[in-house]
């Protein structure tokens, strides 16, 4: 089955800790994205990557970091510099070669700061 | 700031009625438009996309696009309680200066739809 997996499903962080959220896809998509969703809000783009070893900041990159060492994987680290990290984090992927390149989402990770 | 605006609702319709969800966007160069459905606590699921002016139908869903008015809508016919969810509108600005198509999307805040029996 092709798809996007995210782990863990739930994550609890203490103040001052860095945590890493995993995102893996086997859709052979070139592009991957990280979004943050707060209650009652739409999706806000954190980082995106269109090719291995390259990524760009989205609208709310401060306090986050990413890497793209493999086509299939795009982990997101939430650093202690992110002052309000409690949110639902969504990873997505898409092609870059077609005309419309619709994005498909993983199941999400819900992060809570204790 | 390129924006996508949706009425946050909630929109409440009776079972069997037509639900109409609306979205406006500010970037006149936007090329393709997507509707996602998101159930509470779950991730968004793509249900429709449209790129040409006019209507596109898929089962009970119809997407409508008017680029001159910068307006896209989603109609759900014969609404069912299982359609109760948040519907997210997303806009793709299209190709960059180098001619490469990329998938970066701007999302609206979503419209909550409730279909009551």
């Amino acid at each position: 089955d092709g798809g996007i997996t995210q782990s863990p499903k739930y994550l609890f962080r203490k103040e001052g800790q860095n945590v890493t959220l995993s995102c893996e896809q086997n859709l052979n998509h070139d592009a991957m994205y990280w979004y943050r969703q707060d209650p009652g809000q739409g999706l806000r783009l954190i980082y995106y990557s269109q090719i291995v070893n390259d990524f760009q900041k989205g609208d709310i990159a401060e306090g986050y970091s990413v890497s793209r060492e493999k086509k299939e994987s795009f982990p997101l680290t939430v650093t202690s510099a992110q002052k309000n990290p409690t949110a639902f984090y969504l990873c997505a992927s898409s092609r870059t070669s077609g005309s419309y390149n619709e994005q498909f989402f993983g199941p999400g990770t819900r992060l809570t700061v204790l | 700031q390129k924006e996508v605006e949706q009425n946050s609702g909630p929109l409440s319709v009776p079972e069997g009625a037509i639900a109409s969800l609306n979205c406006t966007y500010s970037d006149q160069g936007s090329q393709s438009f997507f509707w996602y459905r998101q159930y509470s606590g779950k991730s968004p699921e793509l249900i429709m996309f449209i790129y040409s002016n006019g209507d596109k139908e898929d089962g009970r869903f119809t997407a409508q696009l008017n680029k001159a008015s910068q307006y896209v809508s989603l109609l759900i016919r014969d609404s069912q309680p299982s359609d109760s969810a948040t519907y997210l509108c997303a806009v793709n600005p299209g190709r960059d200066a180098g001619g490469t198509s990329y998938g970066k999307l701007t999302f609206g805040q979503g419209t909550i739809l409730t279909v009551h029996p």
Side-chain angles (χ1 to χ4, degrees):
Chain A
D1 279 340
I4 304 172
T5 58
Q6 291 186 244
S7 63
K9 186 174 181 179
Y10 299 96
L11 184 58
F12 299 91
R13 193 193 93 167
K14 294 181 180 179
E15 295 280 352
Q17 272 186 337
N18 292 355
V19 291
T20 297
L21 282 59
S22 170
C23 178
E24 304 275 336
Q25 56 97 2
N26 61 4
L27 299 169
N28 200 32
H29 286 168
D30 287 311
M32 298 186 74
Y33 312 81
W34 274 106
Y35 293 91
R36 168 182 173 141
Q37 188 175 37
D38 294 283
Q41 302 296 314
L43 278 61
R44 292 186 290 167
L45 183 64
I46 304 172
Y47 269 98
Y48 64 103
S49 168
Q50 294 178 273
I51 196 169
V52 174
N53 293 323
D54 188 42
F55 48 83
Q56 288 77 40
K57 293 182 179 179
D59 301 317
I60 55 165
E62 185 175 351
Y64 300 98
S65 66
V66 293
S67 63
R68 187 86 187 276
E69 297 177 0
K70 297 187 301 181
K71 185 176 182 178
E72 301 81 14
S73 178
F74 192 40
L76 173 74
T77 296
V78 184
T79 75
S80 57
Q82 170 50 236
K83 297 306 180 188
N84 185 23
T86 295
F88 189 37
Y89 289 87
L90 290 157
C91 178
S93 70
S94 75
R95 297 172 300 163
T96 56
S97 56
S99 299
Y100 315 113
N101 299 326
E102 55 268 36
Q103 289 186 20
F104 298 95
F105 286 85
T109 292
R110 199 167 296 276
L111 174 62
T112 302
V113 174
L114 301 175
Chain B
Q1 179 76 17
K2 298 175 182 176
E3 295 183 347
V4 177
E5 300 286 342
Q6 295 181 255
N7 186 330
S8 61
L11 173 66
S12 182
V13 301
E15 184 174 356
I18 296 175
S20 178
L21 304 161
N22 305 316
C23 174
T24 59
Y25 59 96
S26 62
D27 183 1
Q28 289 183 319
S30 296
Q31 295 293 312
S32 53
F33 308 85
F34 303 83
W35 283 100
Y36 287 84
R37 176 176 63 200
Q38 186 176 24
Y39 291 114
S40 181
K42 302 297 185 181
S43 62
E45 171 193 10
L46 179 68
I47 53 173
M48 291 283 289
F49 68 90
I50 187 168
Y51 57 91
S52 297
N53 278 326
D55 295 359
K56 179 182 179 182
E57 187 174 317
D58 183 1
R60 295 187 297 112
F61 299 97
T62 298
Q64 299 176 316
L65 175 61
N66 184 326
K67 288 188 177 181
S69 299
Q70 295 176 230
Y71 176 93
V72 58
S73 65
L74 179 70
L75 302 178
I76 306 175
R77 291 183 300 281
D78 189 23
S79 295
Q80 301 297 311
S82 59
D83 294 324
S84 297
T86 297
Y87 289 81
L88 299 166
C89 173
V91 175
N92 184 329
R95 296 181 185 276
D96 62 17
T100 300
S101 177
Y102 56 93
K104 189 179 171 187
L105 298 178
T106 300
F107 283 82
Q109 74 272 31
T111 298
I112 299 171
L113 172 66
T114 301
V115 180
H116 54 87

